[in-house]
Amino acid sequence: MHARPALTGPVEDYLKAIYELESRFGAAATSDVAHALDVAPASVTGMVRRLATQGYLDHVPYRGVQLTPCGRQAALRTIRRHRILESYLTGVLGYPWDRVHDEAERLEHAASDDLIERMAAALGHPTADPHGAPIPTADGLIEEQPHRTLAELPVGETARMLRVSDKNPSLLRYLAEIALQPGAEVTMVARAPFDGPITLRIGNSEPVVGPNLAAQVLVAAMPSSGLRSADASGSLPSTAASKPKSRKPTAR
Amino acid sequence: MHARPALTGPVEDYLKAIYELESRFGAAATSDVAHALDVAPASVTGMVRRLATQGYLDHVPYRGVQLTPCGRQAALRTIRRHRILESYLTGVLGYPWDRVHDEAERLEHAASDDLIERMAAALGHPTADPHGAPIPTADGLIEEQPHRTLAELPVGETARMLRVSDKNPSLLRYLAEIALQPGAEVTMVARAPFDGPITLRIGNSEPVVGPNLAAQVLVAAMPSSGLRSADASGSLPSTAASKPKSRKPTAR
DNA sequence: CTCAAAAGTTAGGTAGGCCTAAGTTTAAGG
DNA sequence: CCTTAAACTTAGGCCTACCTAACTTTTGAG
Ligand SMILES: [Mn+2]
Ligand SMILES: [Mn+2]
Ligand SMILES: [Mn+2]
Ligand SMILES: [Mn+2]
């Protein structure tokens, strides 16, 4: 609540990684954090203990870790900076979307709030980053859209592409090549059986992609009939993720 | 020459500070570096020993420190980034010139070369930062202009304002108020004796300033007669500063 | 020339952030 | 249940980058 000491870069990255794991699985496992940050599990245990004593997270040894409200706020602040930076780099400086993540990963720890807000203003206060991830507001509210994966899209249906992970540059380059980017309308033309190739229609072209790729692309939950532009603003924002898919670490 | 390991932020700041002290005094004294970086002298001794063993500088104990070619190259790279960042922040994002230094001081360690060059390109490859400091080229050449201080300007003469330190925000705010910024034509109208107040003409106004302020403002060495715009490009660049004013540390 | 202050260095310590190796706990299969 | 592999933590180090306190070298005033 009060003026906490400024966080270091590594600490911001830990909180961010834990936030993302927590919203996917309900809690973050030591080894998942280690994998996300590319450090040894022992390093995570050590850092987690420190951050727990400092009030940023709750740690039940051997059971995983969860953010406190204070830790969640810090995580969302870093995520906001990251995503605004990515948006600015692509939108203003002409970066390709497969190269903004690494740059933002460093700048997010160095840019002042003032700079971030100036960038956001220059972009007209965007609500999603170039990969379709929602940008939390300055006071820590984030609005997740309901979605399914492209792999789940029934044959014949059309959906609006929503989002893809920003962490795989070569995947991003390929998606750009076939024009599969957030906002694009994509139709499931055919799906070969036994996890076979998937034929899509995007604009005038009909790229054929693997099921593995399709599973990584998120599309809007509701079928998109024609050119209805769903107004993103105005709906009530929620503080965290929608419904975590349960997995290993259940904390408590 | 080969791929040296990436430097840390603190190391980049040490090399930059040493570069600046060296170009002013011929060599950098431990206590001056300590003062510039706001660390204890003992910390400087330690860092300097490490950087000397790593080949970035030569250290003669008790006599000061000097950059090796390799250290100078690293320093100029950081200075280039710093100054391009300052230029971008004022030129594109509307930062006032008194607040860019702190921001650039952090971003200079996080921005990639690609980002820096994109910013430079967006600005049309500027040759000076908002405070008038020359921007080294990507291959480490820097071109200092001949200058004198505004305090030295003879009464009746007009000169083009060249440069001022970026480290004193309140001075910068005041200079902006009286329109004394790089490129401005300034005339020495009158100087009261015994270090008394100095009357200037800048445009239509005649601000009266102290000799202390005037000593901090650099103007072009040659009198500017009217509106001749001196072409900065085309002259031969030199690797380092012109002629260091000798002072305490003489190294060797 | 002397000698004390200033400048610089050395010694010893802290904290952050990482590592490997060696335990400990948990979960899961048989 | 028992056993064992996987997940996790603990122990013990290392490196960077800082600090203070104590010592050494240089300098310059008298
Ligand atoms: Mn990203
Ligand atoms: Mn990061
Ligand atoms: Mn500056
Ligand atoms: Mn800096």
Side-chain angles (χ1 to χ4, degrees):
Chain A
M1 290 296 154
H2 348 252
R4 301 226 167 213
L7 300 173
T8 63
V11 165
E12 288 182 336
D13 283 339
Y14 271 91
L15 294 176
K16 196 164 54 116
I18 291 165
Y19 175 89
E20 263 146 25
L21 290 166
E22 194 180 302
S23 59
R24 280 202 296 156
F25 304 122
T30 299
S31 56
D32 287 350
V33 177
H35 183 253
L37 298 175
D38 200 27
V39 297
S43 304
V44 175
T45 302
M47 178 65 92
V48 149
R49 214 189 31 253
R50 236 181 61 218
L51 295 181
T53 69
Q54 289 173 18
Y56 293 105
L57 35 84
D58 294 325
H59 181 215
V60 184
Y62 294 99
R63 309 250 73 148
V65 80
Q66 274 187 320
L67 296 172
T68 61
C70 167
R72 176 167 298 107
Q73 186 206 16
L76 284 165
R77 175 165 172 271
T78 306
I79 290 169
R80 173 173 170 79
R81 309 167 141 261
H82 183 100
R83 293 184 180 166
I84 288 173
L85 282 161
E86 288 190 346
S87 303
Y88 190 86
L89 293 173
T90 57
V92 177
L93 285 165
Y95 264 72
W97 77 334
D98 60 298
R99 285 208 274 128
V100 291
H101 178 73
D102 286 352
E103 190 83 47
E105 200 56 60
R106 283 173 282 109
L107 292 173
E108 64 191 354
H109 314 296
S112 70
D113 283 342
D114 186 13
L115 175 57
I116 296 297
E117 297 317 321
R118 277 173 196 267
M119 287 181 168
L123 293 162
H125 303 284
T127 59
D129 80 9
H131 315 99
I135 298 177
T137 64
D139 33 63
L141 302 178
I142 188 167
E143 185 182 353
E144 302 278 355
Q145 267 122 343
H147 57 248
R148 52 197 162 156
T149 74
L150 178 55
E152 290 158 21
L153 190 65
V155 169
E157 242 183 57
T158 296
R160 188 174 298 280
M161 200 278 213
L162 215 56
R163 186 170 168 182
V164 66
S165 160
D166 56 0
K167 302 214 175 87
N168 188 339
S170 56
L171 172 63
L172 291 174
R173 275 192 299 276
Y174 178 64
L175 291 179
E177 226 172 80
I178 64 173
L180 191 47
Q181 286 182 300
E185 297 248 320
V186 55
T187 305
M188 176 65 66
V189 173
R191 182 176 3 229
F194 302 108
D195 270 349
I198 288 170
T199 306
L200 304 170
R201 177 158 47 247
I202 303 158
N204 298 325
S205 68
E206 291 207 348
V208 181
V209 304
N212 191 16
L213 178 148
Q216 296 189 60
V217 173
L218 304 186
V219 300
M222 290 292 92
S224 86
S225 38
L227 314 170
R228 241 186 326 99
S229 85
D231 187 2
S233 66
S235 27
L236 61 163
S238 73
T239 306
S242 24
K243 22 91 215 263
K245 287 142 201 154
S246 73
R247 223 196 52 171
K248 287 167 297 174
T250 329
R252 202 136 317 268
Chain B
M1 287 298 154
H2 347 254
R4 302 227 168 212
L7 300 172
T8 64
V11 164
E12 289 182 335
D13 283 339
Y14 271 92
L15 294 176
K16 197 162 54 113
I18 291 165
Y19 175 90
E20 262 147 24
L21 289 167
E22 194 180 304
S23 60
R24 279 203 296 157
F25 304 123
T30 298
S31 55
D32 287 349
V33 177
H35 182 253
L37 298 175
D38 199 26
V39 297
S43 304
V44 175
T45 302
M47 178 67 91
V48 149
R49 214 190 30 250
R50 235 182 64 217
L51 295 181
T53 69
Q54 289 173 20
Y56 293 105
L57 34 85
D58 294 325
H59 181 213
V60 184
Y62 294 100
R63 308 251 76 147
V65 80
Q66 274 187 319
L67 295 172
T68 61
C70 168
R72 177 167 298 107
Q73 186 206 13
L76 284 165
R77 176 166 172 271
T78 307
I79 289 169
R80 173 174 171 78
R81 309 167 141 260
H82 183 100
R83 292 182 182 168
I84 288 173
L85 282 161
E86 287 189 346
S87 303
Y88 190 87
L89 293 173
T90 56
V92 176
L93 285 165
Y95 263 73
W97 76 336
D98 61 300
R99 285 206 274 129
V100 291
H101 177 73
D102 286 352
E103 191 83 48
E105 200 56 60
R106 282 173 283 109
L107 292 173
E108 64 191 355
H109 314 297
S112 71
D113 282 343
D114 186 13
L115 176 57
I116 295 297
E117 297 317 320
R118 277 173 197 268
M119 287 180 168
L123 293 162
H125 302 284
T127 60
D129 80 8
H131 315 99
I135 298 177
T137 64
D139 33 62
L141 302 178
I142 188 167
E143 185 183 351
E144 302 277 355
Q145 267 123 342
H147 57 248
R148 54 198 160 154
T149 73
L150 177 56
E152 290 158 22
L153 191 65
V155 170
E157 242 183 60
T158 295
R160 188 173 299 279
M161 200 276 213
L162 215 55
R163 185 170 169 181
V164 65
S165 161
D166 57 0
K167 302 212 176 88
N168 188 338
S170 56
L171 172 63
L172 291 174
R173 274 193 299 277
Y174 179 66
L175 292 179
E177 225 171 82
I178 63 174
L180 191 47
Q181 285 180 300
E185 298 248 320
V186 54
T187 306
M188 176 65 67
V189 173
R191 183 174 4 227
F194 303 107
D195 269 349
I198 288 171
T199 306
L200 305 171
R201 177 156 48 245
I202 303 159
N204 297 326
S205 69
E206 291 207 349
V208 181
V209 303
N212 191 17
L213 178 148
Q216 296 189 62
V217 174
L218 303 186
V219 300
M222 289 292 91
S224 87
S225 38
L227 316 171
R228 240 184 328 95
S229 87
D231 186 3
S233 65
S235 27
L236 60 162
S238 73
T239 305
S242 23
K243 21 93 213 266
K245 286 142 201 152
S246 73
R247 223 197 52 172
K248 288 166 293 171
T250 329
R252 200 135 320 266

